[in-house]
Amino acid sequence: MKAKFMQRQLLSALFMLGVAVTAQAEGKRKVIIDDDIGGPRGAQLMAIQSPDVEVLGITIVSGSTWRDENIAHALRTLEVIGRSDIPVIPGSAFPLLNTQEATRRWESLYGKLVYKGAWTDEKWPDGTIQSQPNYHAHDFVPQLPEGMPHTKPSAEIAANFMIRKVHEFPGEVTILATGPMTNVALAISLDPSFAATAKEIVYMGGSLNPHQMLPSKSAEQFAREYVNTPRLEFNFRWDPEAAKIALRAPWKHIVMVPADPSTATELSARLLNDMTRSGTPLAQMVKKVTETGFPLWDELATAVWLDPTLISKSDQLYVSIDTDFGAGYGNTLSWPAAYAPPGLIAQVSTVVREVNVAAFEKMMIRLMNLPTPPAPQP
């Protein structure tokens, strides 16, 4: 009798465990990461490493580097960590309207931009300690420091993938946009119900009034951009028209992570060492190929989506972008409700001003040292 009783208890426990695992799998937070990924970075890896997150796909756009190179980085990163089940979906290779030629014309009228992403063909100013961008044609993929991928990207188009997934899981999918918002704008243009069908959009882009917060040389050099142009930020400037379309759409919830809180962050040698001490394939790859000294722009967007309690100061603002081809082209525009123009087409955004940096770094260290969750079983 005792053996039968213990057997029933064991079967009951196994059943309850199965129910709990199923419930946990069904309850995972669903996200599409839309990014101009230039290598294995925490912004994507933190989401993949989170046990309660299901990354539906990584959609790729040009920006800091060209789309095709970004696709190769994403594919290779997923291969190394054993998660090639996550699809990599090609998006837009070029902005909606902006071009390198138009940018050069703008610079001849209004002065040099500090950073132009994939269009940066000049040398950095004297004394800049960051590596020089590797300028090349849009359809050329250089040798990657983490190795070349063996897998292939999806045959689907990023905008179509986004639309399909938000309708497959209505009200459940977060769009985590950490690059220019060309793909997001295309999805909105193709399907006017896209934004309203998603759960929310959390994005890194725009700037309000950032200041140097850290004493390092890197922080000083990154702050040069904001001293004279505090409202100019790269993701918005690469494709201003796309950002404007994205922020006019009827999202249920918008979280903006501008450049401002990133000035209190830096990927120092100490932080990189702490993030990669586990010796996992992920940690070994990140430690090998990551350059220190950069603010953690995109990682902040992922972090505040994972844990909104990291936000220590925020505002509720209407946000738009200057798309007139003048001196302010690409600048961030923002208003509190009482001062917004009467005809403004925009939604209220939660604009992150400050974060708990110590807690943010602790999250990065914890997630990046975890074993990578295995691919879900069919």
Side-chain angles (χ1 to χ4, degrees), residues 24-301:
Q24 184 181 21
E26 290 176 350
K28 284 191 174 185
R29 303 168 66 190
K30 296 176 172 59
V31 65
I32 295 172
I33 302 171
D34 186 57
D35 190 38
D36 55 341
I37 177 173
R41 295 189 303 178
Q44 303 79 29
L45 293 170
M46 287 164 64
I48 296 170
Q49 291 288 100
S50 297
D52 65 338
V53 170
E54 180 183 1
V55 178
L56 299 176
I58 302 176
T59 52
I60 304 295
V61 67
S62 292
S64 294
T65 43
W66 288 114
R67 180 199 63 182
D68 291 358
E69 180 179 349
N70 298 336
I71 289 170
H73 279 300
L75 290 170
R76 182 56 185 159
T77 297
L78 294 172
E79 288 175 0
V80 170
I81 67 173
R83 289 304 306 272
S84 292
D85 59 292
I86 299 173
V88 175
I89 307 96
S92 181
F94 303 104
L96 298 181
L97 292 178
N98 198 20
T99 64
Q100 184 170 17
E101 291 71 24
T103 299
R104 287 171 175 162
R105 187 165 68 251
W106 185 93
E107 287 182 308
S108 72
L109 296 170
Y110 304 112
K112 288 287 185 181
L113 293 168
V114 173
Y115 180 63
K116 292 175 285 189
W119 293 328
T120 305
D121 55 351
E122 306 97 340
K123 290 186 178 180
W124 288 128
D126 290 342
T128 298
I129 59 178
Q130 277 75 37
S131 298
Q132 180 69 31
N134 181 17
Y135 178 76
H136 58 75
H138 72 89
D139 55 356
F140 172 75
V141 178
Q143 288 293 314
L144 307 182
E146 66 270 30
M148 301 302 286
H150 306 289
T151 50
K152 300 294 183 184
S154 168
E156 197 169 9
I157 295 170
N160 289 344
F161 175 84
M162 288 178 168
I163 292 167
R164 180 168 62 83
K165 285 299 178 181
V166 300
H167 285 286
E168 183 179 347
F169 305 106
E172 296 184 51
V173 179
T174 295
I175 305 300
L176 180 58
T178 50
M181 289 199 278
T182 317
N183 292 337
V184 178
L186 289 170
I188 291 165
S189 300
L190 288 167
D191 178 8
S193 70
F194 167 73
T197 308
K199 180 179 181 180
E200 62 187 346
I201 184 169
V202 178
Y203 73 92
M204 189 278 136
S207 63
L208 302 177
N209 192 25
H211 293 84
Q212 181 181 345
M213 299 292 290
L214 300 176
S216 70
K217 187 67 174 177
S218 291
E220 175 188 333
Q221 293 186 343
F222 277 107
R224 292 178 302 195
E225 182 175 358
Y226 307 120
V227 172
N228 298 303
T229 54
R231 290 274 168 158
L232 191 63
E233 181 275 330
F234 170 73
N235 281 348
F236 276 12
R237 181 56 176 77
W238 174 268
D239 196 342
E241 290 77 18
K244 190 170 215 175
I245 290 170
L247 296 184
R248 286 184 167 195
W251 304 95
K252 295 184 182 77
H253 185 225
I254 303 174
V255 178
M256 173 189 186
V257 183
D260 301 53
S262 73
T263 60
T265 70
E266 185 176 307
L267 183 57
S268 63
R270 173 200 59 79
L271 179 57
L272 178 61
N273 184 66
D274 288 346
M275 285 165 44
T276 57
R277 62 190 176 203
S278 67
T280 62
L282 181 155
Q284 292 174 15
M285 171 182 60
V286 170
K287 192 164 192 173
K288 176 183 176 182
V289 306
T290 301
E291 182 176 356
T292 58
F294 286 83
L296 294 161
W297 302 285
D298 299 348
E299 289 78 4
L300 275 179

Side-chain angles (χ1 to χ4, degrees), residues 201 203 236 246-249 251-257 314-320 333-335 346-352:
I201 184 169
Y203 73 92
F236 276 12
L247 296 184
R248 286 184 167 195
W251 304 95
K252 295 184 182 77
H253 185 225
I254 303 174
V255 178
M256 173 189 186
V257 183
S314 64
D315 289 322
Q316 298 296 305
L317 299 175
Y318 290 91
V319 180
S320 189
L333 306 174
S334 62
W335 306 265
Q347 310 299 314
V348 174
S349 301
T350 296
V351 179
V352 178

